Amino acid sequence: MGYDPNDKAQMEEMKKSAVLAYTGSFLASIVSAFTLALFLHGLRAERVDFGLMVGFHVWLGFVATVQLTASCS
C-alpha cells in the first residue's frame, strides 16, 4: 500500500484521517437510517416483513445501482 509501518509520523497521520472517515461514515449511516424510517412511516409500515421488503428495494434501487455503476467504470 506504499507505507512504512516503522514511520510513526505517517502512521499518526493515517490514524487521524481514519477518525475523520469513520465519523463521516457514521453520520452518513444515521442519515440513511432516518431517511428509511421516513419512508416506512410514510408507507404506514406496521409489519417487519414489509419493512424488510422496502429496505431491500431501496437498497436495490439506489445503493446497488450506484455501486454497480462505480465498479464498471
Side-chain angles (χ1 to χ4, degrees):
M1 290 177 45
Y3 69 91
D4 180 14
N6 296 323
D7 185 359
K8 299 291 184 196
Q10 187 179 17
M11 294 302 286
E12 288 300 318
E13 186 63 33
M14 288 176 67
K15 286 180 185 178
K16 287 180 186 176
S17 66
V19 169
L20 185 60
Y22 282 124
T23 302
S25 179
F26 177 74
L27 292 175
S29 296
I30 295 294
V31 170
S32 294
F34 181 74
T35 304
L36 182 58
L38 288 175
F39 279 129
L40 293 172
H41 180 72
L43 293 171
R44 301 197 188 282
E46 296 178 357
R47 296 188 334 254
V48 172
D49 61 333
F50 184 74
L52 289 171
M53 182 187 68
V54 170
F56 172 75
H57 286 98
V58 167
W59 169 82
L60 184 65
F62 297 104
V63 179
T65 54
V66 170
Q67 289 180 343
L68 178 67
T69 305
S71 68
C72 291
S73 1

